Amino acid sequence: MSEETSLQVEEINQDSKNLALLCWIGTIFFGFIPGLVLYLVKTDDEFVREQAKESLNLSITVIIGYFISSLLFIIVIGMLTMFAVGIFNLVFCILGAIAASKGDSIKVPYIFRLVK
């Protein structure tokens, strides 16, 4: 294979992996704040910015889900949907943290991609 046709794999440094991991773990506890801070501060690191954008989109979707669940709380179904949104948030934050620690990107399904 020539050099032109070979795939060039860009190595992601450990600092970028650690910041992306902290972003996903921070999203579990602090909501949209870690994703927003890293998205605005780390403009030079593409991997961290991509992971912060994805966690920020997840947080926005979860906030919308909690709002709709609180409206549905008048009926009993709101309690179930609030529980489901919480589990959805926890599961995909953990999957995002695992992927970020390996240096992989994750695209969370079923979320609104409001931050481009």
Side-chain angles (χ1 to χ4, degrees):
M1 290 177 100
S2 67
E3 289 182 29
E4 296 173 32
T5 59
S6 66
L7 294 174
Q8 294 179 354
V9 178
E10 183 178 320
E11 185 66 30
I12 299 169
N13 62 8
Q14 192 62 39
D15 290 338
S16 297
K17 292 178 188 178
N18 290 341
L19 280 175
L21 174 70
L22 287 175
C23 179
W24 281 107
I25 292 174
T27 301
I28 296 172
F29 299 107
F30 302 113
F32 68 93
I33 295 172
L36 181 63
V37 169
L38 285 176
Y39 183 75
L40 294 175
V41 171
K42 294 299 284 184
T43 57
D44 58 335
D45 194 343
E46 188 61 36
F47 179 71
V48 174
R49 190 167 170 88
E50 177 185 342
Q51 295 301 305
K53 179 174 55 173
E54 196 67 21
S55 72
L56 187 58
N57 283 327
L58 174 67
S59 296
I60 291 169
T61 304
V62 166
I63 289 171
I64 292 169
Y66 280 141
F67 178 73
I68 292 171
S69 295
S70 66
L71 292 178
L72 292 174
F73 212 80
I74 296 169
I75 339 173
V76 178
I77 193 122
M79 191 179 333
L80 297 173
T81 56
M82 193 168 285
F83 180 72
V85 169
I87 294 297
F88 177 80
N89 184 34
L90 181 66
V91 166
F92 281 107
C93 283
I94 291 172
L95 289 175
I98 291 170
S101 69
K102 293 178 183 176
D104 297 334
S105 295
I106 185 172
K107 289 289 183 187
V108 180
Y110 311 117
I111 64 171
F112 298 118
R113 305 233 185 264
L114 299 175
V115 180
K116 301 279 180 186

